[in-house]
Amino acid sequence: MNPKQLPIYEIETALVAQLRQQPRAIVTAPTGSGKSTQVPQMLLDRGLLGAGQVVILQPRRIAARLLAARVAHERHVQLGGEVGYQIRFEDVTTTATRIRYVTEGILLRQFLSNPRLEGVSAVIFDEFHERHLYGDLTLARALALQKTERPDLLILVMSATLEAAALERYLAPCAVLESLGRTFPVHIDYLGEPVDFEHDPPWEVAVREWERLVRAGAEGDTLVFMPGTYEISRTVQALQCSPLARGWVVLPLHGELPPADQDAAVAEYDKRKVIVATNVAETSLTIPGVRIVIDAGLARIPRFDPHRGINTLLVEKISRASADQRAGRAGRTAPGVCLRLWTLHEHKQRPPQELPEIRRLDLAEAILTLKAAGVASIADFQWLESPEPKSVERSETLLRDLGALDEATGAITPLGRRMLSFPVHPRYARMLIAAHEFGCVRAACLAAALTQGRSLLVRSAGRDARSDRDDFLGGETTSDFFILMRAWSYADRVGYDLNKCKRLGIHAQAARQVRPLFDFFQRIAREQGLKLEQEAPPDEALRRCLLVGFSDQLAVRLDGGTLRCQLVHGRRGQIARESAVRDVALVVAAEIHEIEGRAGDLNVLLSLVTAVEPDWLRELFPEDFHERAVALYDHEEKRVYAERQRLFRDLPLEVKRGGQPDEAAAAALLAAEVLKGSLKLDLWDAAVEQWILRVNFLVTFRPDLALPEIGEAERQLMIEQLCLGAFSQKDLRSKPVLPVVKSWLNGAQQALVEKYAPERYELPTGHRARITYGLDGPPTLAAKIQDLYDVKGTPAVAGGRVPMVVQILAPSQRPVQVTQDLAAFWRDHYPRVKKELQRKYPKHKWR
């Protein structure tokens, strides 16, 4: 097919015209329309690049390489010349390259060495609907550059499906163009019953359903979506064993394949083929001839794991939007069919789309990159969608703990710049740097690999398996990692044999997934010039290395009889019971699990624990130690005492009791106990509460008097003032309260209270009846009926503005009537009341 016949060319003239007038544009076009390969060529061929190049950001390495190869083929040039690509660990470009495909992090890092993007005329953000973190960051940097130093820089954002409204506001002013493309109808079908992939593996279900579709006469090539390389290999094996697959070409497709095998998967054949792919085939890549899609509905999705404090890549169910993208692969050249290996009911329960990575990933590496680029305030950075403030705070705290950011200024340190050269999470970059110093790089690579996926050891393995495991792998140790490392070495040695692993309670599939991660970390170490040891290092070396990488999860045992711990950053928890580390005062945890209990309380469990020595802290983090004197409350003695603490960051390591507590700190502690009700101010009585109610009454009903309200905060300050100079319950007993509470108002204000909200009301008989004020509404006046004979109208306070509720008392002081209309009482109710009371109390005066 001639590339000029692709649907994207219907907008070529409009796109070029718009970009000559306005350097920003949004292009939406369905997958298969040719946007990824043709738009860069349009910019070059129509003279929009000048002498510069166009950089096209791709979310995946395989897409960057295959798209570059495709464009080079179309232009009849050698790959790496006019057309090239650049991904981590691979740069196939030259100074002559005009069209450069890159993964998203590449251009962001280029900003560090080339802040003005000299030599770059246009940047295209492809498949932007996936909302990858580095895509968001790079777009923000490019937009800021365009608005300041490079108004000539062209910025295009392209996607198959994109909600453009928010993006259009972000890029405004910008042109918006849409290519409708040409697609064929795809019939989408679901399973009739739910499938449990734990018992019926997805590869077996996929092959079984593929056979059914082929027997039913489904035409064309097949694309099967699986979440990872292991599932792909099992699917390929199952297909190759199927009699129906004889004569078919069966090929895998994922990012870890050698380039030749990736090319083979997308090549055209005389025979029908089945491609088994990860979500690399979901967008960007168009595989011709596919008319059957079988979707397992799973993908490895990057997400921040609070247990590990890192981003993980675990298998999850895809969103409905991703499922639609996959289904569309069957309708590129002819009508097709998509079978989803889940039910329609399950489909409706899936999320409509994935959260943007900015909302679900750890930001530590991204923030470190921005700091290296001179971004002082992450909060002021012009995000397309701002991250959660807690995520930013958590990441910046971690970077400070790792030594990547200056503690005082927040600026990147020389160590932080060195860490940035490692294409891994900053925690593991710091570990690898430390491992080089301690001579345990290979061991650190394995430890890092072991933290990335599922737990290696099965918790409910059974008594026999646990016993065999302890005998074979060892029991009590100074680090849980040593047990895991021996377990993985055993699983690797026996080829991840399911039965042999099961005998020791080892999860064979989890162990299998460690190998590529282990190799990945070792490759990074070599590329960074780190020396990988040949002999096993001393245990102490790896323990020190783990301390450097996880110092933000240091914990000290609170007592020897339990597993309870105090952690850095004010947290408390306990060591998991299955930990092999025992009777150690100081530990560091590689995993922290927060588990909500039945009563809603939070249980914090420390896993993957390693014992550390106090001397290591002083050696490795000398600037993180300081001393302080604190005041603490003893609940049993009901008094405040002083304590001298030696802290690592905010974690007390050494404590000595004695000395006089700070008066203000003691007052705050005692006040808190008073407010909780565990301590009493004996003279804080009803008169004090009535004074506060009188003041607040006037605040509500006479705002013109401008009196200050006495709320909970003011009450707390009053109590702290009363507690000043006291250190125990005994000291509080004789404290005068009412004068202190009244002193919250000056003399003139106190006089206003006495005038407009008096404590008593003088009656014609000379009696002074008490007034009771409440939290809201008018106050209440209680008086005997004889004292009210000459009171015709309802008594009022607040300068006559608020009539009181009158509680009319019998001679026995019991209320016989409550009214806020005294005149109506005398007129309508008094004759009856008088008749009843006069019979009961004949000796009293009655009118």
Side-chain angles (χ1 to χ4, degrees):
M1 178 181 180
N2 184 347
K4 298 288 185 180
Q5 296 176 337
L6 287 167
I8 194 65
Y9 277 95
E10 69 190 22
I11 66 167
E12 179 188 17
T13 302
L15 176 62
V16 171
Q18 289 283 2
L19 288 175
R20 293 194 189 281
Q21 299 175 10
Q22 168 58 251
R24 294 195 285 274
I26 298 172
V27 174
T28 60
T31 303
S33 62
K35 64 183 182 305
S36 300
T37 57
Q38 303 308 306
V39 170
Q41 296 185 70
M42 293 177 190
L43 301 187
L44 177 59
D45 295 340
R46 298 294 291 268
L48 290 173
L49 300 181
Q53 66 176 206
V54 55
V55 178
I56 309 98
L57 274 71
Q58 287 295 324
R60 297 175 183 86
R61 291 174 297 167
I62 185 173
R65 192 188 68 78
L66 291 176
L67 288 171
R70 178 65 185 173
V71 173
H73 174 74
E74 290 178 0
R75 298 184 71 82
H76 308 291
V77 299
Q78 186 175 356
L79 185 62
E82 182 186 59
V83 182
Y85 69 92
Q86 188 176 358
I87 60 180
R88 274 183 174 175
F89 314 124
E90 198 172 351
D91 184 356
V92 185
T93 63
T94 64
T95 55
T97 300
R98 305 295 305 284
I99 298 175
R100 177 163 60 109
Y101 287 85
V102 304
T103 43
E104 293 169 323
I106 293 292
L107 189 61
L108 187 60
R109 288 174 179 262
Q110 186 178 340
F111 271 103
L112 301 180
S113 57
N114 182 9
R116 295 189 76 253
L117 293 187
E118 299 287 357
V120 176
S121 298
V123 180
I124 297 177
F125 297 82
D126 198 13
E127 306 300 351
F128 194 75
H129 70 279
E130 294 191 24
R131 293 297 308 282
H132 288 201
L133 174 59
Y134 278 103
D136 280 15
L137 291 177
T138 309
L139 177 59
R141 293 300 310 280
L143 187 60
L145 178 62
Q146 186 195 63
K147 289 179 177 179
T148 54
E149 301 179 59
R150 289 287 310 278
D152 61 308
L153 181 67
L154 301 180
I155 297 177
L156 278 80
V157 180
M158 304 196 307
S159 175
T161 56
L162 182 66
E163 301 215 1
L167 183 62
E168 188 176 351
R169 289 192 297 271
Y170 182 67
L171 295 176
C174 72
V176 180
L177 299 100
E178 181 180 8
S179 171
L180 298 178
R182 293 190 295 272
T183 58
F184 293 86
V186 176
H187 174 71
I188 297 176
D189 203 358
Y190 298 87
L191 295 182
E193 298 291 335
V195 175
D196 182 359
F197 286 151
E198 288 291 327
H199 297 94
D200 198 358
W203 51 87
E204 293 184 5
V205 179
V207 172
R208 188 166 64 234
E209 293 299 322
W210 175 80
E211 291 174 336
R212 181 178 63 81
L213 289 173
V214 171
R215 288 193 186 99
E219 298 179 352
D221 295 339
T222 302
L223 176 59
V224 181
F225 283 100
M226 286 287 159
T229 56
Y230 175 70
E231 294 84 359
I232 287 175
S233 66
R234 294 300 301 266
T235 308
V236 169
Q237 291 172 15
L239 283 165
Q240 290 171 339
C241 293
S242 170
L244 277 183
R246 288 175 188 158
W248 288 62
V249 178
V250 181
L251 295 168
L253 179 60
H254 54 79
E256 302 304 317
L257 286 172
D261 292 344
Q262 295 175 357
D263 294 340
V266 297
E268 296 188 38
Y269 296 87
D270 294 334
K271 302 176 181 179
R272 294 176 75 181
K273 65 180 178 180
V274 182
I275 307 301
V276 188
T278 61
N279 57 359
V280 299
E282 190 174 303
T283 56
S284 298
L285 301 177
T286 295
I287 304 175
V290 170
R291 295 180 61 186
I292 305 169
V293 167
I294 297 177
D295 186 3
L298 303 171
R300 295 192 180 278
I301 297 175
R303 196 177 301 277
F304 175 69
D305 183 348
H307 309 330
R308 300 173 174 89
I310 58 168
N311 294 326
T312 57
L313 201 61
L314 299 180
V315 174
E316 297 183 16
K317 295 176 181 178
I318 61 171
S319 66
R320 298 200 298 267
S322 291
D324 290 342
Q325 285 280 348
R326 293 180 176 189
R329 291 304 184 176
R332 293 297 167 222
T333 56
V337 59
C338 171
L339 174 63
R340 293 171 174 166
L341 303 184
W342 62 95
T343 66
L344 179 60
H345 176 72
E346 290 174 317
H347 184 72
K348 293 176 181 178
Q349 294 177 326
R350 294 193 173 208
Q353 56 194 20
E354 264 295 341
L355 280 176
E357 285 189 348
I358 194 73
R359 292 283 178 178
R360 58 182 164 88
L361 287 188
D362 173 64
L363 304 177
E365 188 176 358
I367 288 175
L368 192 59
T369 304
L370 291 177
K371 291 287 186 177
V375 177
S377 172
I378 302 301
D380 295 336
F381 186 70
Q382 296 301 304
W383 303 91
L384 169 58
E385 183 175 350
S386 296
E388 295 288 344
K390 284 186 177 180
S391 297
V392 174
E393 181 183 358
R394 180 183 62 230
S395 296
E396 290 186 326
T397 298
L398 173 61
L399 291 171
R400 284 185 169 90
D401 287 344
L402 294 173
L405 298 183
D406 184 87
E407 187 67 36
T409 66
I412 191 169
T413 63
L415 175 60
R417 291 189 183 277
R418 173 75 175 108
M419 290 163 59
L420 198 57
S421 65
F422 289 75
V424 295
H425 188 278
R427 187 186 295 283
Y428 296 107
R430 183 68 188 94
M431 268 183 61
L432 291 177
I433 294 171
H436 180 67
E437 299 172 10
F438 302 144
C440 60
V441 174
R442 194 183 302 276
C445 289
L446 179 53
L450 288 166
T451 64
Q452 304 298 307
R454 295 174 60 181
S455 175
L456 216 61
L457 300 180
V458 180
R459 292 188 64 182
S460 55
R463 183 180 301 174
D464 292 341
R466 288 198 302 270
S467 177
D468 289 345
R469 179 197 298 169
D470 290 345
D471 292 341
F472 197 85
L473 303 178
E476 188 172 335
T477 181
T478 53
S479 176
D480 291 329
F481 275 99
F482 297 145
I483 301 290
L484 287 183
M485 293 165 84
R486 288 194 284 269
W488 179 81
S489 296
Y490 170 80
D492 187 59
R493 192 165 59 251
V494 300
Y496 311 104
D497 181 272
L498 192 62
N499 291 326
K500 291 180 179 178
C501 287
K502 187 176 181 180
R503 185 171 65 86
L504 298 185
I506 298 172
H507 198 297
Q509 185 174 344
R512 184 191 303 275
Q513 293 168 352
V514 171
R515 167 53 73 182
L517 291 165
F518 184 24
D519 294 341
F520 168 74
F521 279 107
Q522 290 184 96
R523 184 172 74 247
I524 289 170
R526 291 190 190 95
E527 290 169 350
Q528 291 297 323
L530 307 185
K531 184 178 180 181
L532 278 75
E533 69 280 359
Q534 298 302 314
E535 302 293 332
D539 288 355
E540 177 183 313
L542 182 61
R543 288 163 58 201
R544 290 160 69 98
C545 180
L546 291 166
L547 170 59
V548 170
F550 292 91
S551 65
D552 60 310
Q553 297 181 174
L554 184 75
V556 61
R557 291 274 292 274
L558 291 174
D559 51 68
T562 70
L563 298 174
R564 295 184 306 121
C565 295
Q566 176 78 40
L567 288 91
V568 174
H569 303 312
R571 297 166 292 175
R572 287 205 171 191
Q574 63 180 26
I575 298 173
R577 295 191 179 278
E578 60 267 22
S579 173
V581 180
R582 302 288 178 186
D583 302 323
V584 177
L586 199 61
V587 299
V588 67
E591 290 186 7
I592 295 181
H593 295 256
E594 293 185 348
I595 304 170
E596 188 172 348
R598 292 182 179 178
D601 53 331
L602 211 59
N603 299 317
V604 182
L605 290 180
L606 282 60
S607 303
L608 287 183
V609 172
T610 298
V612 299
E613 300 295 332
D615 290 343
W616 299 351
L617 293 175
R618 298 185 183 92
E619 175 190 337
L620 297 170
F621 310 98
E623 296 180 357
D624 288 348
F625 279 87
H626 63 279
E627 293 188 359
R628 70 179 180 189
V630 296
L632 299 169
Y633 181 73
D634 188 315
H635 290 272
E636 291 185 4
E637 296 184 7
K638 293 193 174 183
R639 66 176 300 109
V640 178
Y641 64 92
E643 189 174 85
R644 193 79 188 171
Q645 298 177 342
R646 180 170 172 78
L647 299 99
F648 172 73
R649 297 174 186 159
D650 64 348
L651 179 64
L653 296 181
E654 299 173 15
V655 173
K656 187 176 181 181
R657 186 166 174 171
Q660 181 80 348
D662 176 76
E663 278 197 359
L669 289 170
L670 292 173
E673 296 302 318
V674 170
L675 288 168
K676 286 193 297 185
S678 63
L679 288 182
K680 287 187 178 180
L681 285 164
D682 290 347
L683 297 182
W684 189 295
D685 54 17
V688 174
E689 291 293 345
Q690 276 296 297
W691 171 263
I692 293 174
L693 289 168
R694 290 160 67 190
V695 173
N696 290 339
F697 166 75
L698 291 178
V699 169
T700 301
F701 291 98
R702 288 297 302 266
D704 55 303
L705 300 179
L707 295 176
E709 183 178 9
I710 302 177
E712 289 304 313
E714 291 76 18
R715 184 185 290 260
Q716 181 173 346
L717 288 172
M718 287 177 181
I719 295 173
E720 286 187 18
Q721 186 177 345
L722 287 162
C723 292
L724 197 62
F727 297 98
S728 67
Q729 167 75 82
K730 181 180 178 182
D731 297 337
L732 295 179
R733 286 176 180 160
S734 59
K735 282 274 186 178
V737 174
L738 189 57
V740 173
V741 173
K742 283 190 171 183
S743 69
W744 198 254
L745 278 62
N746 61 37
Q749 291 171 325
Q750 291 183 38
L752 290 174
V753 175
E754 297 294 353
K755 178 179 180 180
Y756 292 104
E759 184 180 9
R760 293 180 178 272
Y761 184 86
E762 188 166 345
L763 297 167
T765 59
H767 288 129
R768 300 182 71 246
R770 183 179 298 277
I771 302 173
T772 302
Y773 295 82
L775 289 173
D776 49 31
T780 299
L781 175 73
K784 286 197 298 184
I785 194 167
Q786 283 83 4
D787 291 327
L788 294 171
Y789 281 156
D790 295 322
V791 182
K792 303 306 179 185
T794 304
V797 288
R801 298 186 185 182
V802 181
M804 289 186 283
V805 174
V806 181
Q807 197 175 66
I808 304 169
L809 306 179
S812 62
Q813 300 295 325
R814 292 181 178 178
V816 295
Q817 190 82 18
V818 177
T819 182
Q820 206 173 2
D821 187 349
L822 200 56
F825 168 75
W826 295 125
R827 183 183 64 249
D828 301 329
H829 302 287
Y830 178 65
R832 176 183 56 79
V833 170
K834 174 186 174 181
K835 185 176 181 180
E836 293 176 2
L837 292 180
Q838 193 172 25
R839 186 170 60 250
K840 287 184 180 181
Y841 308 101
K843 294 182 179 181
H844 288 265
K845 180 181 178 182
W846 299 99
R847 289 186 185 177

